[in-house]
Amino acid sequence: MRKVSFAEFGGPDVLRLIAAEEPHAGPGQIRVAVRAAGVNPVDWRIREGQVLGAHPTELPAGVGLDAAGVVDEVGAGVEGVGIGDRVFGEGSDTYAEFAVLSAWARMPEGLTFEEAAGYPSVVETALRVLREVGVRPGQTLLVSGASGGVGSAVLQIARDRGIAVIGTAGAANQEYLRSLGAVATTYGEGWVERVRRLGPVDAALDLAGSGVLRELVELTGDPRKVISIADLGAPDLGVRFSGVAGSVPDALAEAVDLIARGRLHIPVEKSYPLAEAAAAHADSQAGHARGRRVMIV
């Protein structure tokens, strides 16, 4: 099978499309014929060797955590899913023609494989940071870097829970944020004052790692009311860095419910063939996404 791999830590150019042996489902796992794989910032952080504590990596290594595809192998002890089922979920080495998943759910009706591949990690992350930051219905949440995959999920889940959201993004994504229910403003010079004019902020999320943690602490008045998923220096400011996943099956179940109720939709901004994995990573690192980037197989 074809698989994206890297034999050394480094930039996007270390990624190679290689011929590899097919993986097989172990106990409690399923294997899918991958139709699409989500491109997440953690993918390139792993490729660069940034997060070895949370993601121990033995070289050469595959790439990718999220996938959507068709079940073609079911491991021992697995119930409720069968060969031919369309599923989305989380596993390992998903930039490949076949991948093993350790958490999955049936794809909701009306979702394409490309769309479905964009949900697992971002919904888990969005649910986790909303829980960790402790924001409640009726309060206001500030989201820095709100137009990407996690931001898109956070804005919609917050709206569903009765939480008001102020989102920052580039000028081109202001209307997109408003369409997701946020009060939108641009980042850049003067952004703190623009946020202040919109009203008090009860909690804040840093989703882009753009060096704004001091300002988020200033706006909330308490570093404990700020969570980052992108700035590894967060603990130096008393801000919690959230990098350990919670229950992926629970997150997938909630995603299915939200999608079915029409309360969550994450668009695919761009799709890439496996041979263009390096370009996908370069674009992901550059930021400014509107929704998700995915690999197609």
Side-chain angles (χ1 to χ4, degrees):
M1 71 166 188
R2 296 180 305 145
K3 170 184 175 179
V4 176
S5 177
F6 60 101
E8 60 182 312
F9 296 116
D13 58 311
V14 303
L15 297 176
R16 298 284 185 271
L17 184 58
I18 65 169
E21 291 186 9
E22 295 180 6
H24 293 285
Q29 300 176 326
I30 63 172
R31 188 179 82 165
V32 296
V34 179
R35 297 291 184 263
V39 177
N40 297 302
V42 71
D43 297 345
W44 54 261
R45 291 186 185 277
I46 291 171
R47 188 206 70 224
E48 290 188 343
Q50 289 187 22
V51 287
L52 293 176
H55 296 276
T57 303
E58 182 177 335
L59 300 175
V63 188
L65 300 175
D66 293 350
V70 178
V71 178
D72 81 332
E73 200 173 274
V74 177
V78 173
E79 298 178 350
V81 67
I83 306 299
D85 287 348
R86 295 155 53 99
V87 300
F88 67 137
E90 196 170 287
S92 60
D93 301 357
T94 57
Y95 293 20
E97 291 180 313
F98 295 92
V100 170
L101 302 184
S102 53
W104 61 87
R106 294 178 187 272
M107 281 173 47
E109 291 294 325
L111 221 57
T112 67
F113 285 115
E114 288 177 56
E115 290 172 326
Y119 282 86
S121 287
V122 298
V123 173
E124 185 284 316
T125 302
L127 291 168
R128 168 169 30 101
V129 295
L130 283 168
R131 181 176 64 251
E132 290 174 350
V133 82
V135 65
R136 300 186 301 276
Q139 293 187 319
T140 298
L141 174 69
L142 171 61
V143 181
S144 175
S147 65
V150 175
S152 297
V154 164
L155 267 54
Q156 294 173 80
I157 295 168
R159 179 178 62 182
D160 189 58
R161 295 179 176 182
I163 297 164
V165 180
I166 298 171
T168 68
N173 287 327
Q174 297 293 292
E175 188 54 42
Y176 174 66
L177 296 191
R178 295 187 189 101
S179 75
L180 300 183
V183 176
T185 190
T186 53
Y187 49 68
E189 185 176 354
W191 76 270
V192 173
E193 287 308 313
R194 289 194 291 278
V195 169
R196 280 206 175 99
R197 288 196 292 270
L198 295 172
V201 171
D202 298 294
L205 300 175
D206 165 40
L207 306 182
S210 53
V212 297
L213 289 181
R214 293 183 188 278
E215 291 85 351
L216 296 181
V217 171
E218 178 186 341
L219 284 163
T220 61
D222 187 345
R224 294 172 297 180
K225 295 180 179 178
V226 181
I227 298 286
S228 177
I229 64 167
D231 192 328
L232 296 176
D236 296 337
L237 298 174
V239 171
R240 181 171 179 178
F241 181 86
S242 182
V244 179
S247 171
V248 178
D250 287 349
L252 291 171
E254 187 153 355
V256 169
D257 174 67
L258 288 161
I259 294 165
R261 291 193 288 114
R263 304 298 290 174
L264 178 64
H265 174 70
I266 305 176
V268 175
E269 180 180 62
K270 189 172 181 180
S271 301
Y272 308 76
L274 289 178
E276 295 179 12
H281 276 211
D283 289 348
S284 177
Q285 288 185 250
H288 310 295
R290 180 182 297 186
R292 299 288 283 127
R293 297 183 174 97
V294 300
M295 309 301 301
I296 50 175
V297 181

